[in-house]
Amino acid sequence: MARGINKVILVGNLGNDPEMKYTQGGMAVCTLSLATTSVRKDRDGNTQEKTEWHRVKLFGKLGEIAGEYLKKGRQVYIEGSIRYDKFTGQDGVEKYFTDIVADEMQMLGGGAEGGGGGGGSYRGGGDRSERPSRPPQRQESAPRREAPPAKSSDFADDFADDDIPF
């Protein structure tokens, strides 16, 4: 039985360029300001827009990618979890923050400044470790044997391999 689910999915536009910081151990921490806008009609039929602002944190390689490729105005898909933090400032006042900690990020469409082009999808590591990620090692396989020639039939003669769409 599941104890609970903490999952957030956002699609919105960046309000500022990403803010990059690094931990003492060298791990990247990228902070985004993301706007989501909902549209509805009121009783009189007038269109009403409401914009919500979200503070999104991306860690490690995912943060490095976001800091390098995202710019103000860019549309982005974020998937992650919500976190609440509280601290007492120097003036003695308690301050509360709500952050979205991203596990996955996908760049959508072009940027607002004519950035053109499509997007890319990136997934963050599950443990936020500070060691660099390495691509999986590729294992060499045994040489492939050619299949014996298939029996000829009238049906097979009508189609060349180039005609198959997959």
Side-chain angles (χ1 to χ4, degrees), residues 24-99:
Q24 289 179 346
M27 181 173 61
V29 180
C30 180
T31 303
L32 306 176
S33 179
L34 187 70
T36 57
T37 303
S38 59
V39 180
R40 66 174 185 86
K41 293 199 181 229
D42 62 12
R43 293 182 198 170
D44 301 327
N46 298 324
T47 302
Q48 301 291 320
E49 285 189 6
K50 183 175 183 181
T51 301
E52 301 281 348
W53 288 93
H54 312 275
R55 190 165 70 176
V56 180
K57 301 270 188 182
L58 302 99
F59 294 92
K61 187 68 174 169
L62 187 62
E64 291 173 11
I65 292 168
E68 184 176 346
Y69 293 106
L70 294 179
K71 298 289 178 222
K72 179 180 178 178
R74 181 78 188 245
Q75 189 177 39
V76 66
Y77 166 93
I78 297 288
E79 190 172 310
S81 58
I82 194 165
R83 300 282 159 84
Y84 301 101
D85 291 317
K86 173 179 86 167
F87 78 94
T88 304
Q90 294 177 345
D91 56 0
V93 177
E94 286 187 341
K95 298 186 180 190
Y96 296 87
F97 290 97
T98 303
D99 292 326

Side-chain angles (χ1 to χ4, degrees), residues 65 70 74 76-77 105-109 117-123:
I65 292 168
L70 294 179
R74 181 78 188 245
V76 66
Y77 166 93
M105 181 265 302
Q106 184 168 356
M107 296 179 282
L108 304 174
S121 179
Y122 305 94
R123 182 176 292 273

Side-chain angles (χ1 to χ4, degrees), residues 151-159:
K151 294 182 181 178
S152 177
S153 68
D154 292 338
F155 179 77
D157 292 338
D158 290 344
F159 296 99

